[in-house]
Amino acid sequence: MKKLFLLWGLFALGTLQSALGEAGLVIADEGKTSAVICIAPDQNRKGSYDLKAAEELARCIEQMSGARPSIAATADTVREALASKAPTFVIGELVFETRPEFRKALAAVVPPRRVFDPDAIFLKREANHVYLAGSTDRSHYYAVITLLNQWGCRWYLPTGLGEVIPDRPKLEIEDLKMVYAPPFEVRNFWIAWNGSEEGAADFRLRNFMNEQKLKTHHTLKRYVKKVIPEGKTHFNIPLTAPESAEAIADEIDQAYAEGKLISLSMEDGVYRSDDPGDEAAVVNLHDKYFQSQSLTDAFALLYNRTAEILAQRHPESKAVLGFLAYINITIPPQREFKAAPSLVAEIAPIDIDPNHSIDDPRSPSRQEYGAMVRRWAEVMDKRFTIYDYDQGMLVWRDIPAPSHQVMQRDLQFYRDAGSLGVSTESRGAFATIFTNLFFRGQLMWNPDADVDHLLEEFYPAFYGPAAPAMKDYWSAIFKAWEDTVITEHEFYIIPAIYNPALISRLKRAIDDAKRLVEPLRGKADATRNEKLAVERVDIAALGFELMDAYTGMVFAGATEGDYAKAEKLGNQAVKVRLELAVANPTLTTRVIGPQADSKEATAKARAETLPGEVWQYANLKSLTDGTLGSLVQRLPLEWAFRRDPRDTGLARGFAGEKPDLAFWEENRERFSTPDQRKDYPTTQWEVVRTDLYAQAQGILFPDWQSFTGFLWYKTPVELSLADTKGKLHLHFPGLFGEAWLYVNGNLVAHRPQHPLWWKNSYRFDWDVDLSGKLKPGQNDITLRVHNTHHNGGIFRRPFLYQLK
């Protein structure tokens, strides 16, 4: 098997050189070809992968060379082609009909079927014949794509925007002999929420993905109606009670007997039961990420009992019972447990750091997740897949969030753990994910693919003469993500990664790229690839303009407190986002056309969206420009700060004491980077900014875990007599976590919050009426925050205003 993988590695790196001294087989030269593509006559029908593969091969050869091979798909034309001396491609089932011995060579690498049909490919040249086939119908297509990859054809994005078909007037094949089987049966992605599916189906196939996936959609509630306790809901069923398993088995009996894929996945929500059996199974195990009891063992008992009942009823059935292992079932079973043979788990690491690989020492949560996967692999006897997430809510800002640097190691880990494969939930929005799905496809097919080599060939293939500048552009972005300590994934992380220094560098790179393609604009005889290079640079420039406007908006609002400027830049970002969508609908979530959400009121209500964030800054402007209120004072950008891991700050009088910053002033240079800052002594006060949440500034535990527990912020505020009059309010435009506000040592307000940050309003603001609470002269403002998850503290600069 090692030899076969080596053959794949050599093949992926470029044209294979002849090992036997056989002369190259010329497929096309100087705009002419005599090549014929043959498929079995019974495959000449709509929906046939053989026909689809033949048409794809003919199309790409024509685009590369200017000459289109003919397709033989009748008994007579196939017989004539096979007997000729012309270059002849034999595709799919016809390979095995004419050369049955090749099936044995292919079968030697096809792994045993575990749940789905495994893919494998066979490529071989003999004299003027080129044989391209696979172990499944779709694998025939993958064999053709493999040959096209050798010629430099790539599909980096869906639609023609992402297609690279090089100009190659002379096409030839030297020695070709290859058999290969990928390690995963499941390799796919799906577009969630409001993303465009345009070109997605072809893109999947061209990057070796398939449609095979478990059924794990939320269905359990439809099977348990008979066992819902009186006055309760499906979230209160007795999980470990035998009657629950019997009820489920009765509901799915027919589908199980027919050997179908069936989902037993829990619903989204929190299950609570007072059944004694459930209480004994749960034993108060706690999932620290979701702040809830882990019900894994209770669900494991339910699933196993259901599977055993059905296996006794239908012992010959090949049915598969799929279930999601996530939220409060993420923690693997704690008892000794082996899953019934019909059960297959889909492990979903929802909200677990997507920015670092599974064994990155900077991410304890990812290392914990790796341990969970290994345990699930043991429990399930390697019958599991991964429900992968292609970056989260940055999709609402359409700013690049690369992941290839993570996926390469992760997919190797999943392979080594014995996973059946990976199914990715993506938002589309390729302005955000860019080449993420391309790399996922390549790495799902071959986890040992050389990502660095693929990137090196990407820049000139995709951007033509602008390749050096665009390499600088993307390399800077990739490096920023590789170096980050951020473990979160939503919009509030953007300023921590896309800082002013990076934005300046990216602007220079984009300006250079535009200059390099300028000679191609309006060129009378510009080739298809030259036109595409200009279009791609223009789209990259739009993407940068959006990034520049968005980060400018955040800096103006969160750092400077200039909400008029922030609103203006935000509206510019919305405008550019629309231009991106018009340029290609796959670049953003749908913001044009009948499926677009164009209602302003809805955008305002949905603060997680870009228009919603712009509206929030516009609303802040109205509180400070005399419309609804008038600005009294922007509070300092930097505040004294104290970590309180043991919650002793209240008893020790942090609310009223003056912070001692002597240690900080003396040692601040020693703690100037996040990797140093994580080791700052919790016994000392320090200084943090109020335009970036605490963890993004290095407020971490020494083992890199996000700091959880209590945080203290403190600043002096000098006020005049006039400042203290009227309806004086303190506004926190961005604040994570439950909070208590103290003025001059006295508690004046408390803000409760759901411990899971995403369960709260995405405005994350807090407005406090301090009328009569502040005095002329110096005041002490102290904020105590409780952080229970990833991110905590202030991330937009607070201000005082007088309400009209």
Side-chain angles (χ1 to χ4, degrees):
M1 183 62 76
K2 286 184 178 179
K3 182 178 179 182
L4 298 174
F5 274 85
L6 178 61
L7 277 172
W8 164 255
L10 290 172
F11 189 81
L13 289 174
T15 303
L16 287 170
Q17 299 300 310
S18 175
L20 303 176
E22 189 175 18
L25 177 65
V26 177
I27 304 301
D29 193 13
E30 296 182 350
K32 297 178 182 179
T33 183
S34 59
V36 181
I37 302 170
C38 299
I39 63 172
D42 64 352
Q43 295 298 311
N44 187 22
R45 53 183 170 75
K46 185 177 181 181
S48 162
Y49 279 103
D50 292 28
L51 178 61
K52 187 176 182 68
E55 290 174 339
E56 182 77 321
L57 181 59
R59 180 184 74 88
C60 291
I61 288 175
E62 182 180 24
Q63 285 201 20
M64 284 186 282
S65 69
R68 185 180 182 90
S70 60
I71 297 177
T74 66
D76 290 341
T77 56
V78 168
R79 190 182 307 110
E80 179 182 348
L82 293 175
S84 75
K85 300 293 186 182
T88 304
F89 295 95
V90 185
I91 291 180
E93 293 304 316
L94 185 61
V95 172
F96 304 126
E97 291 177 13
T98 57
R99 299 293 298 274
E101 68 273 21
F102 288 168
R103 192 182 294 276
K104 294 181 181 178
L106 181 62
V109 304
V110 178
R113 186 181 194 271
R114 292 196 282 163
V115 174
F116 299 102
D117 293 331
D119 290 305
I121 56 172
F122 176 93
L123 296 87
K124 182 172 176 135
R125 177 197 160 196
E126 286 189 351
N128 65 315
H129 289 172
V130 180
Y131 298 95
L132 306 169
S135 59
T136 63
D137 289 347
R138 66 182 170 272
S139 297
H140 303 326
Y141 190 89
Y142 301 147
V144 167
I145 291 298
T146 300
L147 177 62
L148 291 173
N149 277 186
Q150 180 190 9
W151 280 327
C153 298
R154 296 287 185 274
W155 291 271
Y156 294 110
L157 307 171
T159 75
L161 176 68
E163 181 177 75
V164 168
I165 309 294
D167 296 319
R168 300 190 64 160
K170 185 174 183 178
L171 278 177
E172 58 184 323
I173 299 174
E174 297 187 11
D175 183 53
L176 178 59
K177 184 176 181 180
M178 175 188 172
V179 284
Y180 175 74
F184 300 127
E185 293 179 6
V186 175
R187 309 180 309 278
N188 56 63
F189 73 87
W190 66 285
I191 300 293
W193 296 359
N194 205 20
S196 171
E197 283 278 0
E198 185 178 345
D202 286 336
F203 177 81
R204 291 184 187 97
L205 275 175
R206 290 162 174 166
N207 283 292
F208 305 106
M209 299 188 201
N210 59 32
E211 304 82 27
Q212 297 185 153
K213 61 176 68 175
L214 293 176
K215 280 196 173 180
T216 55
H217 49 287
H218 307 292
T219 55
L220 193 60
K221 70 177 180 181
R222 72 177 68 168
Y223 306 140
V224 297
K225 295 176 182 177
K226 295 179 182 177
V227 292
I228 294 175
E230 186 176 353
K232 300 292 183 67
T233 74
H234 59 274
F235 287 118
N236 308 116
I237 61 169
L239 297 171
T240 59
E243 57 266 27
S244 295
E246 287 282 355
I248 297 169
D250 290 345
E251 291 292 328
I252 63 175
D253 185 86
Q254 184 61 37
Y256 187 92
E258 294 171 2
K260 293 183 177 180
L261 294 174
I262 305 166
S263 173
L264 292 183
S265 288
M266 60 190 294
E267 309 302 319
D268 273 338
V270 178
Y271 283 75
R272 288 285 184 266
S273 167
D274 54 10
D275 182 80
D278 291 1
E279 291 180 1
V282 169
V283 294
N284 206 31
L285 289 171
H286 191 71
D287 184 328
K288 66 181 178 182
Y289 291 107
F290 282 83
Q291 316 288 310
S292 63
Q293 285 184 321
S294 172
L295 302 179
T296 305
D297 288 72
F299 268 98
L301 288 169
L302 173 67
Y303 289 151
N304 249 17
R305 284 175 175 167
T306 303
E308 289 163 0
I309 292 168
L310 291 164
Q312 290 174 1
R313 295 180 186 177
H314 310 287
E316 303 301 317
S317 173
K318 302 297 183 184
V320 172
L321 303 176
F323 65 93
L324 274 170
Y326 86 133
I327 306 182
N328 53 349
I329 195 171
T330 299
I331 298 174
Q334 302 298 294
R335 293 170 172 79
E336 185 176 348
F337 178 79
K338 279 291 182 184
S342 61
L343 291 172
V344 182
E346 187 160 50
I347 303 171
I350 187 169
D351 202 50
I352 293 180
D353 177 13
N355 307 326
H356 300 90
S357 60
I358 208 161
D359 53 5
D360 193 318
R362 297 171 301 171
S363 181
S365 64
R366 290 290 283 170
Q367 294 177 65
E368 292 166 359
Y369 166 60
M372 291 180 189
V373 171
R374 284 189 286 267
R375 171 63 174 153
W376 275 114
E378 177 188 2
V379 166
M380 302 304 302
D381 195 21
K382 300 184 177 181
R383 296 187 311 278
F384 72 95
T385 65
I386 301 296
Y387 191 107
D388 169 51
Y389 297 86
D390 182 19
Q391 298 289 12
M393 305 298 272
L394 283 184
V395 73
W396 298 117
R397 303 305 185 269
D398 297 294
I399 289 173
S403 65
H404 63 268
Q405 71 279 6
V406 172
M407 291 309 300
Q408 181 167 36
R409 178 63 191 110
D410 283 4
L411 282 158
Q412 291 171 345
F413 178 92
Y414 296 146
R415 175 197 62 198
D416 297 344
S419 172
L420 288 161
V422 177
S423 183
T424 296
E425 176 188 323
S426 179
R427 308 291 187 258
F430 284 86
T432 299
I433 64 172
F434 197 48
T435 54
N436 287 2
L437 292 180
F438 163 76
F439 281 110
R440 272 174 167 78
Q442 299 295 314
L443 290 166
M444 289 175 188
W445 181 252
N446 174 23
D448 294 316
D450 189 333
V451 169
D452 290 337
H453 175 79
L454 289 170
L455 276 171
E456 282 302 313
E457 68 177 20
F458 161 74
Y459 299 114
F462 200 74
Y463 291 113
M470 292 311 300
K471 178 181 179 180
D472 185 44
Y473 181 84
W474 286 111
S475 296
I477 290 174
F478 297 158
K479 184 71 163 56
W481 282 88
E482 288 166 6
D483 291 347
T484 188
V485 301
I486 300 296
T487 59
E488 293 76 45
H489 59 79
E490 299 218 18
F491 68 92
Y492 47 81
I493 78 170
I494 293 173
I497 295 175
Y498 290 92
N499 56 44
L502 178 59
I503 295 297
S504 295
R505 179 177 174 181
L506 297 179
K507 185 179 188 309
R508 290 193 299 271
I510 282 292
D511 288 343
D512 286 346
K514 291 191 290 187
R515 176 179 53 79
L516 289 168
V517 297
E518 190 60 34
L520 301 181
R521 296 185 189 276
K523 182 180 174 184
D525 58 347
T527 66
R528 170 177 48 86
N529 286 326
E530 288 174 332
K531 293 175 182 176
L532 278 170
V534 174
E535 181 182 0
R536 290 162 180 160
V537 168
D538 287 346
I539 282 174
L542 277 176
F544 172 74
E545 190 178 341
L546 171 57
M547 182 195 308
D548 192 26
Y550 180 81
T551 55
M553 174 189 74
V554 174
F555 184 79
T559 304
E560 297 178 322
D562 186 340
Y563 303 123
K565 182 179 177 182
E567 181 188 18
K568 181 178 179 181
L569 287 166
N571 286 328
Q572 175 64 17
V574 171
K575 175 178 176 291
V576 177
R577 182 171 182 260
L578 181 59
E579 292 177 36
L580 272 173
V582 171
N584 190 299
T586 67
L587 294 172
T588 71
T589 48
R590 288 184 173 129
V591 294
I592 57 173
Q595 297 189 57
D597 182 2
S598 60
K599 295 181 180 178
E600 185 181 3
T602 303
K604 289 178 181 178
R606 297 179 61 187
E608 71 271 21
T609 67
L610 174 56
E613 189 178 0
V614 176
W615 174 83
Q616 185 172 357
Y617 282 120
N619 187 58
L620 292 172
K621 182 184 72 171
S622 71
L623 296 179
T624 58
D625 67 359
T627 305
L628 298 177
S630 299
L631 179 68
V632 171
Q633 186 178 137
R634 296 183 182 91
L635 297 193
L637 184 60
E638 293 186 335
W639 291 31
F641 181 84
R642 184 75 177 263
R643 313 174 204 204
D644 189 9
R646 294 181 179 84
D647 190 20
T648 60
L650 278 176
R652 295 169 64 188
F654 285 2
E657 76 170 24
K658 183 178 180 180
D660 181 358
L661 292 170
F663 183 88
W664 169 256
E665 295 299 341
E666 184 177 344
N667 296 279
R668 63 190 307 165
E669 293 304 317
R670 290 174 46 204
F671 300 100
S672 60
T673 62
D675 59 323
Q676 298 167 331
R677 191 74 177 266
K678 68 181 176 61
D679 296 316
Y680 192 85
T682 61
T683 57
Q684 300 292 333
W685 285 89
E686 54 193 302
V687 172
V688 297
R689 299 170 64 90
T690 57
D691 59 351
L692 198 61
Y693 64 100
Q695 287 74 11
Q697 299 181 63
I699 307 302
L700 310 167
F701 287 111
D703 68 352
W704 292 99
Q705 188 77 264
S706 291
F707 185 90
T708 53
F710 289 91
L711 314 171
W712 291 82
Y713 288 80
K714 184 180 282 283
T715 188
V717 178
E718 188 78 23
L719 296 173
S720 68
L721 178 62
D723 291 337
T724 63
K725 300 296 184 181
K727 301 176 181 177
L728 186 62
H729 284 237
L730 172 56
H731 194 83
F732 293 91
L735 173 62
F736 290 121
E738 185 177 9
W740 296 261
L741 182 66
Y742 295 81
V743 172
N744 298 322
N746 299 308
L747 179 66
V748 296
H750 169 238
R751 180 183 76 161
Q753 288 278 275
H754 193 287
L756 300 182
W757 61 267
W758 65 87
K759 294 285 189 178
N760 301 289
S761 165
Y762 262 64
R763 291 188 298 276
F764 301 112
D765 57 353
W766 187 27
D767 193 85
V768 184
D769 186 350
L770 291 186
S771 302
K773 301 287 197 306
L774 293 167
K775 63 184 180 182
Q778 189 171 94
N779 294 267
D780 177 88
I781 302 292
T782 301
L783 182 74
R784 177 175 178 252
V785 177
H786 188 213
N787 178 45
T788 60
H789 203 52
H790 288 299
N791 42 296
I794 305 171
F795 67 96
R796 294 185 184 115
R797 185 177 180 177
F799 62 92
L800 286 165
Y801 74 98
Q802 286 181 337
L803 186 66
K804 277 193 169 184

